[in-house]
Amino acid sequence: MIAPGDAVAAPIALIPGPDQSDGAPADTAGALPYLQCVPYARQVSGIQLFGDAHTWWDQAEGRYERGFTPKPGAVMSFHPYGAMRLGHVAMVSRVIDSRTVLLRHANWSPINGTRGQKENDVRAVDVSDANDWSAVRVWYAPIQGLGTTHWPVDGFIYNRPPARHLGTATPLRLASASAAPRSMMQPAVQRQVLMATRATAPARSPIDRDFLSGVAVETAVPKPAAPVRTTARIRMAQATIAASAALPAPARRDQASLARDDDPIGRIIASRTGGAGVGSAGMGIGRLR
């Protein structure tokens, strides 16, 4: 149980019992049965897995849903580390917050000098940088506080079948930088996790080729040609040319004479040369006459 002052960490790391198997050997003193973590976790969680604790995570694949979020009734699967050669399993009895849970487990703390004892509602704290529960510190009865060891955790096993959409793929989780013990699982386990996840990842579905078959293609509408800007002088000249072209030959000559009469320079040249024409062409014509 949680005792006052349980937030004080132990000055040294104490290691729980090294043998967390499915057996129940007699206690060394012969007074009490030596209860292991596996049968007790199976009893309190209802998850029907057998064998040593370190095999539970792989055994659960395809049989029970697995994940990395603690939930009441789920089994926390510890990875073997240090003297804990066979791993450990404990049931989550309560979730306090995103970093704290209470556990029910057996054969973790020696009580009254005897191993193989049950502990109910004892604290475990997530110490991973990413808050992904890849490493935890666990309450240790002899010091009445959290042990200092960061125990590596594989994840949580939930007492329900795996979700259909997840299939039987091993969940992928990025390892926390603070969970140094998880490096013991690398790189072999990490490669297996990555390969399993890639193998079951759904392929990206391309857009159906008939998706746009009924959609009219939008074409660009040609812009109207910009109007030609003409000045009043150009318009007058154009009108004069058009009108002159429409007149008969004599009338066109009269128009030329009128044009010469409007030219003072042409009149001076005509008076000096005795010709009636304007310019070289006009003077030539006047002489021929």
Side-chain angles (χ1 to χ4, degrees):
M1 298 296 290
I2 299 176
D6 60 359
V8 178
I12 59 174
L14 299 178
I15 307 300
D19 297 320
Q20 301 286 21
S21 67
D22 203 18
D27 180 76
T28 53
L32 296 173
Y34 201 110
L35 179 63
Q36 300 284 2
C37 69
V38 171
Y40 189 62
R42 185 166 54 239
Q43 175 187 342
V44 295
S45 70
I47 293 177
Q48 296 303 301
L49 294 176
F50 297 83
D52 296 340
H54 70 92
T55 67
W56 273 41
W57 181 252
D58 289 336
Q59 283 192 66
E61 182 177 356
R63 299 175 60 185
Y64 294 95
E65 187 174 343
R66 300 179 299 174
F68 308 113
T69 303
K71 298 178 181 179
V75 167
M76 180 186 291
S77 175
F78 290 70
H79 195 80
Y81 176 62
M84 191 175 68
R85 299 185 303 271
L86 298 180
H88 183 69
V89 284
M91 190 201 77
V92 177
S93 58
R94 183 180 174 189
V95 176
I96 303 300
D97 54 41
S98 64
R99 288 280 188 178
T100 309
V101 298
L102 301 184
L103 298 177
R104 297 183 67 184
H105 61 166
N107 197 27
W108 185 267
S109 300
I111 299 176
N112 297 324
T114 306
R115 289 200 174 275
Q117 303 300 306
K118 302 175 184 178
E119 292 181 275
N120 293 322
D121 299 328
V122 292
R123 192 157 57 102
V125 175
D126 173 31
V127 292
S128 64
D129 288 341
N131 190 198
D132 61 0
W133 291 90
S134 58
V136 296
R137 291 169 58 192
V138 182
W139 173 267
Y140 194 61
I143 61 172
Q144 290 296 291
L146 293 173
T148 58
T149 302
H150 291 196
W151 298 101
V153 174
D154 290 323
F156 297 91
I157 303 171
Y158 311 112
N159 191 4
R160 57 176 178 263
R164 292 289 184 181
H165 66 280
L166 292 178
T168 59
T170 302
L172 178 63
R173 171 176 58 184
L174 297 177
S176 169
S178 68
R182 287 185 63 82
S183 62
M184 299 176 60
M185 295 180 274
Q186 311 299 336
V189 172
Q190 197 172 51
R191 283 198 299 269
Q192 292 175 3
V193 170
L194 183 60
M195 291 174 63
T197 304
R198 287 178 176 174
T200 57
R204 292 192 301 173
S205 300
I207 296 178
D208 195 298
R209 66 182 60 185
D210 297 328
F211 178 74
L212 298 176
S213 60
V215 179
V217 179
E218 182 178 354
T219 57
V221 178
K223 295 182 179 180
V228 178
R229 296 183 178 180
T230 58
T231 63
R233 182 178 298 178
I234 294 175
R235 288 196 298 270
M236 183 179 296
Q238 290 174 343
T240 301
I241 293 172
S244 176
L247 294 174
R252 284 199 297 271
R253 283 196 297 272
D254 293 340
Q255 290 290 333
S257 299
L258 292 174
R260 285 196 301 272
D261 292 341
D262 292 335
D263 186 0
I265 297 176
R267 288 197 301 271
I268 294 172
I269 295 173
S271 64
R272 291 182 179 179
T273 58
V278 178
S280 60
M283 290 188 288
I285 294 174
R287 291 193 192 93
L288 292 175
R289 288 180 181 176

